[in-house]
Amino acid sequence: MKEKLLWALARRHVWSNANSTVVRMVSILSIAGIAIGVAALVILQAFMGGFTMAIAQGLTSMNPPLHIYVPGGGYMNDFDLGVVQSIASEIPGITGVEGVLEKPAVVSGAAGTVSGAMVRGGSSEGLTIGMDLARKLDVKAGDEIRIASTAGVEVSGMGRVLVDTIVTLTVDSVGDFGIEEYNSSLVLLPLGTARDIFKAHGELTSLGAYVETGVDPVEAAGLLDSALNEEYTGGGWPVYMSCIPYLAFHGNLFKALGLERTAMTLVLALITVVALLNLSSALTMIAMEHRRDIGVLRAMGLSPSGVFRISVLRGFLLGGSGAFTGLIFSWVSIFAVNRYFPIKLDGTVYWIDVLPGVFSVTTALFVTLSTILVCFVVSLFPAFSALSHSPSEALRYE
Amino acid sequence: MSNDIVLSARNIHCSYGSADASIRVLKGVDITVRIGEVVAVMGPSGSGKSTLLHALGLLERPEKGEVLVCGENGWTLSSRKRAELRNRKIGFVFQFHHLLEEFTLKENVMMPCLIAGYSGEEAANRADRLLERVGIDHRAMHFPSRASGGERQRAAIARAIVMQPDIVLADEPTGNLDTDTSAEVEQLIMELAEEGGRSFLLATHSKDLASAVHRRLLLRSGVLGQDE
Ligand SMILES: Nc1ncnc2c1ncn2[C@@H]1O[C@H](COP(=O)(O)OP(=O)(O)OP(=O)(O)O)[C@@H](O)[C@H]1O
Ligand SMILES: [Mg+2]
């Protein structure tokens, strides 16, 4: 009952029709300030996080999560693949290893069209071509394309370029690979076909390993890498192959994105700082307006700790409603933006076409709860000052 | 000390201001109030009546002197115990009703019971009974801003006695009312004192109220004397 009473007192002190317009105004403004601060942070995190996530997803969707390569850029062959496969089979979480042959080539489709492309031979069944590349070449599934590889290029004595390996293939499907760069340049086909085109039998440019869902690629890559290391150094050879998680290729990108996110978070956190200053002046004003009431309550036997708790609860109520409003608002706006007003990006610049907002419950709760916690701290000052005058002073206060 | 004394104070000294520019308001006041006694403290404006009531009501610590409420030395208790003593044994009525504006008259009357930790139901029952007794049950659900001056003061009186305190300290309870209303409120106070066998200590300028009480004291130059 006592707690309920303190809540009721605090609630009506900050929110009651009997309050003066000024008190109602400062209450609304401080709630709004906190709400905007929380919403700004949550929305920022949603879109920054969404951007990073979409790019990471795009990159990993077309590439195995673990990348095995020869440092320094040497070639690998089927024997190396066999070595890695047998080592990887000992490592829990790794499901398989495949060999990839990936090289640049020139592709042409409908009459007069030509484009550079990356031809990737791997575990692909048929021939899939990126959708932007298909548009450039004006081809669709079932049409033919010609791929000219540099493997057959010779410069004749007359200075003419002779290309003797031009292979004609049928497009089986047109794919959306998620990232602009892949869509505009990638041609996927079976490893054997790629080897024919590039006249590179037995050769591989890299190996890729897959992990079970739920397994952290970074951890698995570490395990495979040290197993490879041991294999070579144990046999007295120099290390030939290494393994890194695929996304580590783009480590700088993700570092830069992370830095940008931190910087923007700090800037937007300033909104919350201003909102907290506002809250603190609102609480001071509310305390002044109710100083005599507190005197009356003390005359009726409210203890000093009750007075203290009422003051803190006022801050908690304003801060809590603000944070909660901000939380709801941010969830609704992220949902609405994703659903009705998607943010279009230029894929050639940003790799992805649509910026997704990913509402992270953990981040949202962290922002909300830490805001409420700081509001609590802010309300301690007026609470202590409420204790500093005697009931009699409070009663005489007009 | 005989046990029919509800309130007694010895040698109360009070002053305001800093050490070099202080006003000494009370210079050794002694007072004793017995069960069922209605005592009026008279005195010119600024003589220190409110100051005395605040010291006796454990609202402002006097510089010197002790205050016994039902035998307990109020100013030596912890602040929590002192708050409890105010809650159970002392009722306050102020010149301005000092009702909580955000609460209805009924909620205001319930407030001391809720502070004491009574259930909402028990507090509501007591409030209903008292609101009826002071004649404003039809205004129970109104906020103070909607009630007349007399109704507010009746609610304030109901609030002061809802915990059945041993003594009610009333600081000019009719000081802010028109003549007719203040006559009604004065009558109510005298009736309530009669009914409950409850003691009242009133600070007042009102000759009518003063003539109705059992004993009159005069506060002048910081000391309390009998008034004839
Ligand atoms: N907080 C304060 N600071 C300084 N002086 C004060 C304070 N409160 C009261 N006084 C002074 O103490 C004296 C007694 O004040 P008090 O309010 O007790 O008088 P009173 O008898 O109740 O007067 P009234 O009949 O006008 O209510 C006055 O001179 C007043 O100016
Ligand atoms: Mg006075």
Side-chain angles (χ1 to χ4, degrees):
Chain A
M1 194 65 222
K2 190 75 178 287
E3 283 307 314
K4 216 165 120 193
L5 174 67
L6 298 178
W7 270 102
L9 284 162
R11 195 174 59 75
R12 295 211 197 172
H13 284 174
V14 301
W15 201 256
S16 156
N17 287 335
N19 283 331
S20 69
T21 333
V22 182
V23 164
R24 270 181 290 166
M25 198 69 192
V26 297
S27 290
I28 291 175
L29 287 179
S30 57
I31 289 176
I34 304 273
I36 291 170
V38 166
L41 281 172
V42 173
I43 292 173
L44 169 83
Q45 299 301 328
F47 285 101
M48 292 294 292
F51 185 64
T52 311
M53 198 189 257
I55 285 183
Q57 251 168 20
L59 289 172
T60 46
S61 69
M62 292 315 300
N63 296 285
L66 306 190
H67 185 80
I68 297 112
Y69 66 109
V70 176
Y75 280 100
M76 290 183 267
N77 54 31
D78 288 341
F79 173 77
D80 298 320
L81 174 62
V83 170
V84 176
Q85 270 168 339
S86 77
I87 293 174
S89 65
E90 308 277 305
I91 296 172
I94 296 187
T95 50
V97 185
E98 69 170 34
V100 175
L101 181 71
E102 179 172 330
K103 292 193 167 192
V106 178
V107 189
S108 72
T113 61
V114 65
S115 172
M118 280 309 277
V119 174
R120 180 187 292 185
S123 55
S124 173
E125 294 277 304
L127 188 151
T128 307
I129 170 172
M131 57 185 208
D132 295 334
L133 183 58
R135 201 176 309 128
K136 228 186 300 177
L137 300 177
D138 195 15
V139 293
K140 53 187 185 309
D143 291 350
E144 288 191 330
I145 56 167
R146 287 177 305 284
I147 301 176
S149 91
T150 48
V153 172
E154 273 169 30
V155 183
S156 75
M158 310 281 290
R160 280 178 61 190
V161 176
L162 304 171
V163 180
D164 68 346
T165 358
I166 298 182
V167 180
T168 302
L169 293 167
T170 305
V171 175
D172 292 306
S173 60
V174 173
D176 179 358
F177 302 142
I179 285 191
E180 167 74 21
E181 193 170 298
Y182 294 151
N183 281 339
S184 63
S185 69
L186 203 57
V187 177
L188 297 181
L189 35 74
L191 180 60
T193 318
R195 284 175 163 171
D196 288 342
I197 295 172
F198 296 112
K199 295 186 169 130
H201 290 282
E203 202 176 289
L204 296 166
T205 47
S206 71
L207 309 180
Y210 293 89
V211 292
E212 280 168 24
T213 43
V215 171
D216 179 13
V218 177
E219 212 169 286
L223 289 175
L224 181 54
D225 189 55
S226 51
L228 281 169
N229 252 315
E230 220 166 280
E231 174 78 10
Y232 294 113
T233 50
W237 295 301
V239 173
Y240 187 60
M241 289 185 283
S242 296
C243 173
I244 56 168
Y246 180 75
L247 285 180
F249 275 120
H250 299 276
N252 284 337
L253 170 67
F254 291 105
K255 245 181 247 163
L257 285 175
L259 192 66
E260 190 180 352
R261 187 177 182 165
T262 312
M264 288 185 70
T265 305
L266 285 178
V267 171
L268 289 197
L270 289 180
I271 297 181
T272 309
V273 172
V274 174
L276 288 169
L277 294 177
N278 188 37
L279 173 71
S280 128
S281 69
L283 288 175
T284 309
M285 189 172 281
I286 290 168
M288 267 161 62
E289 285 261 335
H290 294 94
R291 192 160 149 184
R292 204 192 58 210
D293 289 353
I294 291 296
V296 174
L297 286 163
R298 294 201 64 180
M300 289 192 270
L302 185 70
S303 64
S305 92
V307 173
F308 186 83
R309 277 186 287 167
I310 289 175
S311 305
V312 170
L313 285 176
R314 288 175 191 151
F316 193 72
L317 277 172
L318 290 180
S321 348
F324 190 70
T325 312
L327 185 67
I328 300 293
F329 176 77
S330 56
W331 188 87
V332 170
S333 23
I334 292 165
F335 177 82
V337 164
N338 284 340
R339 182 76 173 266
Y340 304 108
F341 319 100
I343 302 175
K344 296 259 181 357
L345 294 180
D346 182 352
T348 53
V349 179
Y350 297 104
W351 293 5
I352 53 173
D353 302 325
V354 174
L355 178 59
V358 180
F359 181 87
S360 148
V361 176
T362 347
T363 312
L365 281 185
F366 177 75
V367 170
T368 310
L369 294 181
S370 48
T371 302
I372 293 177
L373 182 73
V374 186
C375 289
F376 168 76
V377 174
V378 163
S379 63
L380 288 180
F381 176 70
F384 278 113
S385 81
L387 287 183
S388 68
H389 23 255
S390 72
S392 164
E393 278 175 278
L395 275 167
R396 285 177 192 253
Y397 182 80
E398 289 305 324
Chain B
M1 187 181 296
S2 85
N3 55 8
D4 67 341
I5 294 174
V6 287
L7 180 76
S8 75
R10 295 278 161 270
N11 199 26
I12 301 287
H13 287 258
C14 284
S15 61
Y16 289 106
S18 54
D20 46 333
S22 78
I23 323 163
R24 297 184 61 207
V25 180
L26 302 180
K27 304 166 188 166
V29 171
D30 294 336
I31 189 170
T32 306
V33 180
R34 291 168 194 284
I35 290 178
E37 211 180 9
V38 181
V39 180
V41 175
M42 323 262 303
S45 181
S47 57
K49 301 182 295 294
S50 298
T51 307
L52 176 62
L53 257 57
H54 283 193
L56 297 176
L58 310 178
L59 297 174
E60 180 83 83
R61 186 183 291 275
E63 267 175 311
K64 221 163 108 185
E66 63 179 16
V67 177
L68 300 180
V69 182
C70 301
E72 279 202 86
N73 191 340
W75 286 108
T76 59
L77 298 172
S78 71
S79 60
R80 199 173 56 83
K81 285 270 176 229
R82 190 157 54 240
E84 224 172 275
L85 192 61
R86 279 199 293 266
N87 182 246
R88 310 257 161 186
K89 309 283 189 191
I90 308 172
F92 290 94
V93 181
F94 306 99
Q95 175 173 2
F96 301 95
H97 57 91
H98 284 357
L99 294 170
L100 306 177
E101 297 287 342
E102 296 89 359
F103 293 83
T104 62
L105 296 185
K106 181 174 168 181
E107 287 168 330
N108 265 283
V109 177
M110 288 164 69
M111 200 58 70
C113 302
L114 297 177
I115 289 173
Y118 290 12
S119 72
E121 199 185 348
E122 166 74 9
N125 284 341
R126 285 186 177 220
D128 283 336
R129 232 176 308 136
L130 275 177
L131 285 168
E132 199 183 325
R133 172 62 191 89
V134 300
I136 51 165
D137 39 335
H138 57 296
R139 285 268 181 264
M141 295 308 169
H142 288 221
F143 286 90
S145 57
R146 294 288 168 79
S148 73
E151 286 163 347
R152 290 177 201 165
Q153 203 58 317
R154 283 164 188 269
I157 290 168
R159 182 177 69 178
I161 59 173
V162 71
M163 287 297 290
Q164 307 192 312
D166 295 78
I167 182 153
V168 177
L169 302 175
D171 192 355
E172 303 190 42
T174 59
N176 207 35
L177 301 174
D178 65 62
T179 332
D180 288 350
T181 321
S182 81
E184 284 167 29
V185 171
E186 280 161 14
Q187 198 191 336
L188 175 67
I189 289 174
M190 292 313 294
E191 283 171 17
L192 290 172
E194 204 74 14
E195 283 166 24
R198 183 174 293 122
S199 312
F200 275 75
L201 181 62
L202 310 159
T204 185
H205 287 298
S206 160
K207 293 278 179 282
D208 293 334
L209 184 53
S211 63
V213 303
H214 304 149
R215 191 149 62 91
R216 278 168 298 280
L217 301 169
L218 183 66
L219 186 59
R220 184 174 273 163
S221 332
V223 287
L224 208 51
Q226 296 293 331
D227 180 57
E228 293 323 312

